[in-house]
Amino acid sequence: ETGVTQTPRHLVMGMTNKKSLKCEQHLGHNAMYWYKQSAKKPLELMFVYSLEERVENNSVPSRFSPECPNSSHLFLHLHTLQPEDSALYLCASSSRIAGYEQYFGPGTRLTVT
Amino acid sequence: AQKVTQAQTEISVVEKEDVTLDCVYETRDTTYYLFWYKQPPSGELVFLIRRNSFDEQNEISGRYSWNFQKSTSSFNFTITASQVVDSAVYFCALSEARSSASKIIFGSGTRLSIRP
């Protein structure tokens, strides 16, 4: 595997379900990010992790819970979501040494029914 | 505050035409980075280029070229002889470049459609 991978690619869940999104980066980066992209809205930064510590939480509802067990893995745990949470969830990683640009995974298309 | 403006919401051109995507940014930092990303229909954002604030040299990569002008706070992207595969949403972005986990501020994107 190379780059940034995300699983699953598509997810349909009910409002009472609990699910997790997984992101893995194979680039040796030390920062990871979660973004939400809704239709016709700009990219929204949700969480930032640097060296496994959360450094930013952009007023995201508590029904989204991130976890970063090590510098290569990032999870987004989901519970009791709302239909408006349906969106494309993108993971990214970066490194100051690599030049600050963020490399993105393919995203998870989430539909909440 | 940092801000990136992509005034062109949608552009549609016929294949083989040249097209320029505009990007204007605002920042009070003297050191910053500018980026362009491409998002094809598959959804993944693909990194295209990084330019730091001290390097105003224009860059050309095949059919792609970028024009960075600090005097007008612009970082425009030109595709020469466009192709259908260039159809995507293109995002311009800005980073303060202060730490390992520097935030990137994205513009709202320009949807480019290339008609055969």
Side-chain angles (χ1 to χ4, degrees):
Chain A
E1 292 278 16
T2 58
V4 181
T5 58
Q6 289 185 245
T7 54
R9 294 293 308 276
H10 299 272
L11 178 61
V12 179
M13 59 186 287
M15 292 167 61
T16 58
N17 292 156
K18 286 185 181 181
K19 295 286 184 184
S20 295
L21 309 185
K22 179 183 175 183
C23 174
E24 186 172 358
Q25 60 97 358
H26 309 268
L27 299 168
H29 290 168
N30 54 16
M32 297 187 78
Y33 311 77
W34 277 118
Y35 287 86
K36 176 184 178 183
Q37 188 178 35
S38 306
K40 307 206 174 185
K41 281 189 177 180
L43 275 165
E44 299 173 49
L45 179 63
M46 299 175 73
F47 301 103
V48 180
Y49 276 83
S50 176
L51 298 170
E52 300 137 50
E53 281 192 36
R54 192 191 312 178
V55 297
E56 187 145 347
N57 175 349
N58 279 350
S59 304
V60 179
S62 59
R63 57 186 183 270
F64 295 91
S65 174
E67 179 191 359
C68 187
N70 55 60
S71 59
S72 299
H73 294 85
L74 184 65
F75 295 89
L76 188 62
H77 304 298
L78 316 171
H79 64 97
T80 59
L81 295 191
Q82 305 297 311
E84 60 264 27
D85 297 322
S86 298
L88 180 67
Y89 288 84
L90 292 160
C91 172
S93 69
S94 71
S95 163
R96 179 172 56 192
I97 295 173
Y100 296 102
E101 61 266 24
Q102 293 176 16
Y103 288 86
F104 285 79
T108 296
R109 177 78 58 187
L110 173 66
T111 303
V112 180
T113 60
Chain B
Q2 297 186 320
K3 186 179 177 183
V4 176
T5 302
Q6 295 180 256
Q8 304 151 309
T9 307
E10 293 191 36
I11 300 176
S12 179
V13 301
V14 176
E15 201 172 17
K16 297 183 184 176
E17 285 186 19
D18 299 347
V19 58
T20 295
L21 309 182
D22 298 332
C23 173
V24 174
Y25 64 92
E26 295 175 30
T27 180
R28 291 181 183 162
D29 293 326
T30 55
T31 301
Y32 53 89
Y33 287 81
L34 295 164
F35 311 92
W36 275 96
Y37 284 84
K38 173 182 180 180
Q39 188 176 35
S42 60
E44 180 175 352
L45 268 83
V46 178
F47 165 71
L48 296 178
I49 189 173
R50 175 188 77 239
R51 178 58 82 224
N52 76 51
S53 52
F54 297 108
D55 182 4
E56 285 194 72
Q57 200 169 25
N58 291 331
E59 180 154 343
I60 298 175
S61 175
R63 296 183 297 105
Y64 294 173
S65 62
W66 291 269
N67 183 346
F68 175 30
Q69 292 196 338
K70 284 180 79 169
S71 59
T72 55
S73 297
S74 65
F75 186 41
N76 297 336
F77 173 27
T78 297
I79 301 175
T80 304
S82 59
Q83 299 177 3
V84 173
V85 294
D86 296 326
S87 297
V89 180
Y90 290 86
F91 292 92
C92 179
L94 167 71
S95 174
E96 67 216 347
R98 288 192 195 134
S99 66
S100 298
S102 289
K103 279 191 344 182
I104 289 184
I105 308 299
F106 285 88
S108 54
T110 297
R111 182 175 300 277
L112 177 63
S113 298
I114 310 297
R115 307 190 304 274

